[in-house]
Amino acid sequence: MAELQEVQITEEKPLLPGQTPETAKEAELAARILLDQGQTHSVETPYGSVTFTVYGTPKPKRPAIFTYHDVGLNYKSCFQPLFQFGDMQEIIQNFVRVHVDAPGMEEGAPVFPLGYQYPSLDQLADMIPCILQYLNFSTIIGVGVGAGAYILSRYALNHPDTVEGLVLINIDPNAKGWMDWAAHKLTGLTSSIPEMILGHLFSQEELSGNSELIQKYRSIVTHAPNLENIELYWNSYNNRRDLNFERGVCPVMLVVGDQAPHEDAVVECNSKLDPTQTSFLKMADSGGQPQLTQPGKLTEAFKYFLQGMGYMASSCMTRLSRSRTASLTSAASIDGSRSRSRTLSQSSESGTLPSGPPGHTMEVSC
């Protein structure tokens, strides 16, 4: 009998004509993102139905990444550029994520009937336990922008044991004062709802520059088929209460662009939070929506944040450390008579940036 011989066959994926290994890798990544469309669910709550989309599968002993979008947007228009960014794939492979659409903001949502009582931001926060119960998730890391950042913060204050960390972009924790209320009413007399919302999302410099990004989002807001619903969400945001977000609940990363509409509010919020649990990322050249304009920088900062919480310890930090100099500046935090100021610098040739506990300001410039 002829002797049998073991033959090893290696499968190779041939490159298309004119395709390099780098472009092949990018195409494979794009295909994987395209195939992962997520699973959309709706759940009834005491304040109405809420829709959310789940990507990935739960990981043992790991929280879910839980996002909430700003006024005028839905989860796709608010977060898709960030979560589809190449370097973000390392993160989303390690966590299940849940993207919530505020009621009436999901794609294809019908317009609410005249006189519909839209939930307050506090009530929107009270919907979150119904979502987590439906999914059987015990803890989350919240990522919110604007109104969504407020909602997640309110939820964290009410349910601190279920929130491991918060990434809050453009948060304004303060209720509108009388002067703000009067200014808002006067603006409403001369500006349309889309114009006011765009002024909330972007700086005046960005709107005047009318870049391709601004044109895209101006069209999204202005021609939204559910504009009446968006106005209801906008009214709830403008009628928010003070958060009283002064006690340490969990690690927090505050994010804002320089010269963004909410820069002063985020700086004030940073001064009130526990400096040992708070990181403040002020991003240069990012405008009013850093997750749209600078997803690479934000991804890198998010990795640091997760590392500080004990996750992704082996992750490589490359983007900021390889091509830029990042300065970590501890903003003076005033708590009674207590203040602090610390500066760390890391050169771009060092390979990795220092990781450590929260409690500093990270100003990133290109």
Side-chain angles (χ1 to χ4, degrees):
M1 180 180 295
E3 183 179 353
L4 296 176
Q5 294 182 345
E6 183 177 348
V7 179
Q8 184 175 2
I9 300 175
T10 302
E11 180 182 0
E12 294 184 357
K13 296 181 179 180
L15 296 176
L16 297 174
Q19 189 178 42
T20 65
E22 290 75 17
T23 57
K25 184 177 180 181
E26 291 176 0
E28 184 179 357
L29 175 61
R32 188 164 67 246
I33 292 173
L34 186 62
L35 288 173
D36 183 13
Q37 297 296 323
Q39 295 181 328
T40 300
H41 309 266
S42 293
V43 63
E44 289 296 329
T45 78
Y47 306 104
S49 177
V50 61
T51 300
F52 51 94
T53 304
V54 182
Y55 289 82
T57 56
K59 306 298 188 291
K61 299 181 180 179
R62 292 207 169 190
I65 293 176
F66 192 99
T67 75
Y68 217 116
H69 62 87
D70 203 355
V71 176
L73 308 174
N74 57 29
Y75 93 84
K76 288 185 178 180
S77 57
C78 189
F79 290 110
Q80 205 166 58
L82 175 64
F83 283 94
Q84 288 190 352
F85 189 75
D87 289 353
M88 178 62 78
Q89 305 314 302
E90 182 182 5
I91 294 177
I92 64 177
Q93 288 171 5
N94 288 279
F95 295 87
V96 63
R97 52 196 169 106
V98 181
H99 297 290
V100 179
D101 280 317
M105 304 303 129
E106 67 274 14
E107 290 183 346
V111 174
F112 290 121
L114 189 65
Y116 175 80
Q117 183 63 47
Y118 197 81
S120 66
L121 294 196
D122 289 9
Q123 291 171 334
L124 292 174
D126 288 339
M127 291 180 170
I128 294 177
C130 299
I131 298 173
L132 299 184
Q133 183 179 8
Y134 177 88
L135 295 171
N136 197 26
F137 291 170
S138 56
T139 59
I140 65 170
I141 296 172
V143 182
V145 181
Y150 181 103
I151 291 165
L152 290 175
S153 299
R154 176 65 70 190
Y155 171 77
L157 289 171
N158 295 339
H159 305 273
D161 294 340
T162 67
V163 181
E164 294 195 21
L166 289 172
V167 178
L168 306 176
I169 304 170
N170 297 337
I171 186 170
D172 187 344
N174 302 317
K176 282 187 175 294
W178 284 107
M179 293 297 292
D180 295 323
W181 181 85
H184 176 71
K185 289 297 183 183
L186 288 174
T187 303
L189 296 175
T190 58
S191 302
S192 65
I193 293 297
E195 288 174 334
M196 288 191 289
I197 292 174
L198 286 166
H200 161 79
L201 295 174
F202 300 100
S203 67
Q204 288 304 313
E205 291 80 2
E206 289 177 286
L207 294 174
S208 299
N210 201 30
S211 66
E212 185 176 337
L213 178 75
I214 296 299
Q215 293 177 38
K216 174 183 176 181
Y217 280 84
R218 191 189 302 275
S219 177
I220 287 174
V221 175
T222 304
H223 301 112
N226 60 337
L227 186 58
E228 293 89 343
N229 296 355
I230 293 174
E231 183 176 359
L232 294 175
Y233 188 19
W234 174 240
N235 291 338
S236 289
Y237 176 70
N238 287 311
N239 289 320
R240 65 190 180 276
R241 299 188 299 131
D242 281 331
L243 263 180
N244 297 319
F245 203 20
E246 299 184 5
R247 52 193 173 92
V249 176
C250 62
V252 175
M253 182 170 79
L254 298 173
V255 181
V256 70
D258 61 344
Q259 300 181 356
H262 308 283
E263 182 179 359
D264 292 342
V266 179
V267 169
E268 181 183 352
C269 184
N270 181 53
S271 70
K272 294 179 178 180
L273 292 174
D274 182 354
T276 65
Q277 286 193 299
T278 307
S279 298
F280 179 25
L281 176 62
K282 184 178 178 182
M283 300 179 66
D285 305 320
S286 63
Q289 298 292 310
Q291 80 284 1
L292 302 179
T293 59
Q294 299 287 357
K297 295 178 184 179
L298 189 52
T299 296
E300 193 81 352
F302 191 25
K303 287 182 182 178
Y304 281 121
F305 185 66
L306 293 172
Q307 280 191 328
M309 297 169 59
Y311 300 111
M312 301 184 63
S314 61
S315 176
C316 295
M317 301 300 158
T318 58
R319 181 167 296 272
L320 294 181
S321 57
R322 182 178 63 239
S323 59
R324 301 178 180 89
T325 298
S327 68
L328 303 180
T329 309
S330 171
S333 292
I334 302 173
D335 184 7
S337 61
R338 183 180 58 180
S339 66
R340 57 186 173 83
S341 181
R342 179 169 58 92
T343 301
L344 299 174
S345 290
Q346 183 74 15
S347 71
S348 59
E349 290 82 12
S350 62
T352 58
L353 292 175
S355 61
H360 56 265
T361 299
M362 182 189 298
E363 297 196 22
V364 184
S365 301
C366 299

